[in-house]
């Protein structure tokens, strides 16, 4: 038997080589099983006040402690679990609840922005689609239907009566720190799409088998998610009848005339303000945004479904990156909502400016996530691959990073949300965040990245000047900003965030919520008392608690 491939991040792990790896894993498993007996006796005898949270049952206490000890194996021995080769097909005859389909690579005309990396090839993507049988309301794959031009697509008013009910499609991106788990129906994280389909909250959910860091670096996972998103948009574009063609043509002509009048008006204003550089920049941004909005609205009007992006833990991080790419590039209509379940939104936490400045995440005793910076940094470095280390502070990777928040909103806002907790985020605090004025960030000297890479410039969004030849959607010449004068979360779709107050990601998720509130995103928050990380994925947690959370999630989904 050939030895298993050792990945780059495993090279510096103390127990990643045989025979030390087998010996370490065996002793860790054996001692953990012994500890289970001890925990059962201890938490059964001692008063509830001695438990990590008094509300926890003995089973909950044991489960969190057990999982935390097992997760340590990942850090020291590089063990991963529940993964699949994303290039291998899956036999549908062996699937009980889902069907497996391949999705073609992202079309050439959509390969723009952050995902256009010549060193990361675009590939076909596997999907596990819930439920097993395709609902009648879901159209056949585009490859099964004759090709049509844009002129053959119906707009929203035309297919409203023909379509009947509008299907709600979910795109599920699983968690696992970009190195564990799979989209397969047997994976622990698949409890999430399984429950949503069982409760009929969605018509169909596509669980994406995106490439983990073992298979390809950033932005491979975003490429794969974007391919599935574009596939669903194309699949649900409605074809028109010949009878409807003339009315749409007249409407299109009127729209072109209105755009022409608007363009001429802008030219006059630009001429009158030719010496005002700031005004010219704002006018250019407005013109670009208006053009993108018009294009997106035209495409969206032909799509006969609603789409919600769903992600737990690292999958939530990927959802945010995909939503940002969709907004920044403007080549596809935006999703109708984001469902973020304990999203990881600051991987840069593993890279403190100095070792002494590292601040451990809170709730070490009540969550199973481990937080040792050195092993996490090895994983994140592999995730970045050939990209410079400063990419870790890109809004595409760490949107809740303190450096990102300072660059967009200034020091005062970043400080106000740095230690924000669930208990503190009441209606008054939300209103304060929405109305808080931004101030220029404290200047930070740019530093060379090595290997001839360009310097990363920190500053407010206006720092992305053409003179510097930098772009917020470039990996080669990055900058912490958004294109076209947009703020960090401007134009993001409505969002639902589920978070436990006993999990280690509390502070960074609260920074994310605070920034979304600041930019006017419609954020619905579901706080789970005494819950650790990703509670909806944990089949061994208190089912009454999980049922209550599911009820709130599904109520939000119905309102989308």
């Amino acid at each position: 038997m050939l030895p298993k491939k050792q990945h780059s991040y495993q090279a510096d792990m103390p127990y990643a080589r045989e025979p030390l790896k087998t010996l370490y894993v065996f002793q860790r498993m054996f001692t953990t099983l012994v500890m289970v007996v001890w925990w059962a006796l201890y938490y059964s005898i001692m008063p509830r006040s001695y438990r990590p949270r008094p509300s926890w049952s003995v089973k909950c206490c044991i489960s969190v402690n057990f999982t935390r000890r097992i997760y340590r194996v990942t850090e020291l021995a590089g063990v991963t679990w529940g993964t699949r080769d994303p290039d291998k097909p899956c036999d549908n005859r062996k699937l009980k609840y889902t069907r497996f389909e391949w999705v073609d690579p992202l079309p050439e005309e959509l390969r723009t922005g952050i995902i256009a990396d010549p060193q990361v090839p675009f590939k076909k993507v596997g999907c596990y689609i819930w439920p097993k049988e395709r609902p009648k309301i879901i159209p056949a794959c585009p490859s099964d239907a004759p090709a049509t031009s844009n002129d053959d697509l119906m707009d929203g008013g035309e297919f409203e009566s023909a379509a009947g009910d509008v299907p709600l499609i979910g795109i599920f991106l699983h968690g696992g720190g970009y190195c564990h788990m799979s989209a397969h129906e047997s994976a622990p994280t698949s409890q999430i799409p399984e429950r949503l389909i069982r409760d009929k909250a969605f018509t169909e959910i596509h669980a994406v088998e995106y490439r983990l860091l073992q298979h390809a670096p950033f932005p491979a996972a975003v490429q794969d998610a974007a391919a599935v998103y574009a596939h669903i948009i194309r699949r649900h574009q409605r074809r028109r009848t010949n009878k409807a063609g003339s009315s749409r043509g007249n409407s299109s002509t009127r729209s072109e005339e209105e755009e022409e009048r608007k363009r001429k008006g802008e030219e006059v204003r630009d001429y009158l303000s030719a010496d005002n550089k700031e005004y010219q920049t704002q006018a250019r941004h407005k013109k670009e945004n208006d053009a993108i909005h018009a294009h997106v609205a035209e495409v969206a009007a032909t799509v006969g479904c609603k789409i919600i992006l769903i992600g737990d833990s690292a999958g939530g991080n990927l959802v945010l990156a995909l939503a940002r790419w969709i907004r920044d590039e403007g080549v596809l209509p935006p999703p109708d909502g984001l469902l973020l379940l304990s999203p990881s939104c600051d991987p840069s936490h593993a890279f403190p400016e100095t070792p002494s400045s590292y601040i451990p995440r809170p709730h070490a005793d009540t969550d199973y996530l481990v937080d040792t910076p050195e092993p996490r940094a090895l994983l994140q470095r592999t995730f970045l691959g050939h990209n410079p280390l400063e990419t870790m502070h890109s809004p595409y990777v760490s949107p809740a990073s303190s450096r990102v928040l300072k660059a967009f909103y200034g020091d005062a806002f970043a400080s106000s949300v740095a230690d924000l907790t669930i208990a503190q985020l009441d209606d008054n605090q939300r209103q304060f965040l929405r109305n808080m004025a931004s101030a220029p960030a404290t200047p930070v000297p740019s530093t060379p990245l090595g290997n001839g890479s360009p310097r990363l410039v920190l500053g407010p969004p206006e720092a992305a000047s053409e003179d510097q030849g930098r772009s917020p959607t470039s990996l080669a010449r990055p900058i912490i900003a958004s294109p076209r004068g947009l703020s960090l979360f401007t134009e993001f779709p409505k969002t639902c965030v589920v978070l436990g107050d006993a999990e280690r990601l509390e502070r960074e998720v609260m920074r994310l919520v605070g920034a979304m509130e600041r930019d006017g995103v419609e954020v619905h928050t579901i706080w789970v008392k005494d819950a650790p990380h990703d509670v909806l994925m944990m089949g061994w947690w208190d089912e009454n608690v999980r049922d209550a959370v599911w009820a709130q999630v599904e109520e939000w989904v119905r309102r989308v």
Side-chain angles (χ1 to χ4, degrees):
M1 182 181 292
L2 294 174
K4 287 186 176 181
K5 177 184 177 182
Q6 187 177 51
H7 302 285
S8 58
Y9 69 89
Q10 297 172 327
D12 296 321
M13 292 181 174
Y15 301 112
R17 297 179 182 275
E18 299 290 0
L20 290 178
K21 184 174 184 176
T22 299
L23 292 173
Y24 174 74
V25 172
F26 175 79
Q27 73 83 19
R28 191 72 177 180
M29 290 296 298
F30 177 77
T31 55
T32 301
L33 292 175
V34 172
M35 290 297 294
V36 167
V37 178
W38 161 247
W39 292 326
L41 292 173
Y42 178 81
Y43 291 122
S44 297
I45 295 172
M46 301 301 289
R48 280 185 171 268
S49 59
Y50 282 79
R51 299 178 185 181
R53 290 290 173 100
S55 66
W56 286 10
S57 65
V58 174
K59 180 183 177 182
C60 291
C61 296
I62 294 174
S63 299
V64 170
N65 290 343
F66 178 89
T67 308
R68 186 190 303 123
R69 281 184 61 86
I70 298 304
Y71 265 47
R72 185 69 172 171
V73 174
T74 302
E75 293 195 336
L76 297 182
V79 175
T80 59
W81 58 85
T83 62
R84 284 188 73 256
D85 184 347
D87 295 323
K88 289 183 62 176
C90 186
D91 188 350
N92 273 305
R93 292 171 298 180
K94 297 181 180 179
L95 297 174
K96 187 176 180 181
Y97 306 105
T98 60
R99 62 190 190 274
F100 181 83
E101 291 182 4
W102 285 112
V103 171
D104 290 336
L106 190 70
E108 291 275 358
E109 64 272 16
L110 301 181
R111 298 178 184 180
T112 63
I114 202 78
I115 63 174
D117 187 339
Q119 299 190 53
V120 181
F122 289 83
K123 290 189 172 185
K124 64 180 181 180
V125 187
C127 272
Y128 293 87
I129 305 176
W130 303 74
K132 178 81 171 175
E133 300 297 329
R134 176 168 65 89
K136 293 181 180 180
I137 195 175
I138 301 296
C141 287
S143 57
D144 300 334
T148 57
S149 67
N150 287 338
D151 292 334
D152 295 324
L153 298 176
M154 294 191 294
D155 61 27
E158 291 172 332
F159 65 66
E160 190 173 290
S161 58
D165 293 335
V166 176
L168 179 59
I169 309 299
I171 299 179
F172 176 64
L173 305 171
H174 67 84
Y178 287 110
C179 62
H180 302 297
M181 303 299 179
S182 160
H184 192 276
E185 64 179 32
S186 63
T189 51
S190 291
Q191 295 179 67
I192 295 168
E194 188 275 334
R195 176 65 180 256
L196 291 170
I197 287 294
R198 173 156 50 94
D199 292 349
K200 296 181 171 54
F202 286 80
T203 310
E204 197 174 65
I205 295 179
H206 294 240
V208 184
E209 192 71 277
Y210 62 85
R211 284 170 284 178
L212 302 176
L213 59 81
Q214 300 97 307
H215 304 289
F218 181 81
V222 188
Q223 292 177 354
D224 296 345
V228 175
Y229 186 82
H231 167 78
I232 293 174
I233 292 293
R234 181 184 172 210
R235 186 173 194 168
H236 288 269
Q237 282 187 311
R238 302 300 182 92
R239 275 84 184 169
R240 65 168 44 255
T241 62
N242 292 333
K243 183 178 180 181
S246 59
S247 65
R248 187 170 181 265
N250 293 337
S251 174
S252 176
T253 302
R254 286 194 298 270
S255 297
E256 291 174 0
E257 292 174 353
E258 291 173 0
E259 287 295 323
E260 180 66 16
R261 285 196 299 270
K262 189 175 181 181
R263 181 183 64 81
K264 290 180 178 179
E266 287 177 349
E267 288 177 352
V268 171
R269 289 196 296 271
D270 286 346
Y271 173 77
L272 294 175
S273 306
D275 58 341
N276 190 332
K277 187 174 182 180
E278 181 180 356
Y279 178 85
Q280 290 179 355
T281 300
Q282 292 176 357
R284 176 168 48 83
H285 287 163
K286 182 180 185 303
K287 190 173 182 179
E288 292 172 351
N289 284 321
D290 287 345
I292 286 177
H293 293 161
H295 167 72
V296 167
E298 182 179 359
V299 177
T302 69
V303 178
C305 72
K306 291 183 177 181
I307 302 176
I308 294 180
L309 306 183
I310 312 164
D312 69 307
S313 194
N317 181 276
L318 183 51
V319 163
L320 290 166
L322 175 60
R324 185 169 302 280
W325 174 79
I326 294 169
R327 182 204 68 171
D328 286 357
E329 299 309 313
V331 292
L332 291 170
D336 295 274
L338 310 180
L339 177 54
L340 306 176
L341 312 174
S342 300
S344 168
C345 41
D346 186 16
S348 69
H349 183 265
F351 293 91
E353 295 183 7
T354 62
S356 60
S357 65
Y358 180 78
I359 301 175
R361 288 184 169 107
H363 308 310
D365 296 331
T366 58
D367 200 2
Y368 56 83
L369 290 184
V370 287
D371 192 42
T372 312
E374 292 83 2
R376 297 304 305 171
L378 289 174
L379 288 169
Q380 300 296 351
R381 196 66 192 88
T382 304
F383 170 72
L384 293 180
H386 58 279
N387 296 300
L389 185 60
E390 292 291 349
T391 305
M392 186 56 63
H393 292 282
S394 164
Y396 279 89
V397 179
S398 301
S401 160
S402 293
R403 287 177 62 180
V404 170
L405 298 183
K406 288 180 180 178
F408 278 90
Y409 310 118
D411 295 346
F413 179 89
S415 298
S416 69
V417 297
D419 297 314
L420 189 63
T421 65
I422 288 176
Q424 295 170 341
L425 190 65
D426 54 16
D427 291 341
N428 291 332
Q429 182 67 19
R430 287 176 187 269
Q431 192 64 30
F432 171 75
L433 294 174
R434 292 190 193 108
N435 297 329
M436 190 174 184
S438 298
T442 301
V444 178
S446 60
T447 56
L449 306 179
N451 300 323
S453 301
R455 294 170 178 261
L456 182 78
V457 180
L458 268 180
E462 297 79 42
S465 66
E466 294 179 356
D467 298 338
Q468 296 170 324
R470 300 180 181 274
S471 168
T473 59
S474 168
L475 292 176
R477 298 185 63 78
I479 190 170
I480 301 179
S482 289
R484 308 185 305 277
L486 300 173
S487 189
L488 185 59
F489 291 106
T490 303
E491 298 181 7
F492 262 58
K494 60 181 65 175
T495 301
C496 177
V497 178
V498 179
L499 180 69
D501 67 0
E503 63 174 286
R504 305 207 73 168
L505 302 187
E506 181 191 17
R507 301 293 171 84
E508 65 188 66
V509 176
M510 295 308 298
R511 293 199 297 270
L512 173 78
V513 172
M516 284 185 158
E517 291 280 2
R518 169 64 182 78
D519 285 337
V521 179
E522 184 181 330
V523 187
H524 178 72
T525 50
I526 300 175
W527 309 135
V528 191
K529 183 173 175 56
D530 295 340
H533 181 65
D534 208 356
V535 69
L536 294 182
M537 184 269 293
M538 298 158 55
W540 37 263
W541 201 253
D542 187 332
E543 199 60 31
N544 292 328
V545 172
R546 283 162 33 95
D547 284 344
V549 178
W550 278 122
Q552 295 179 68
V553 168
E554 291 165 7
E555 175 60 30
W556 176 81
V557 168
R558 282 191 289 270
R559 297 198 305 266
V560 171

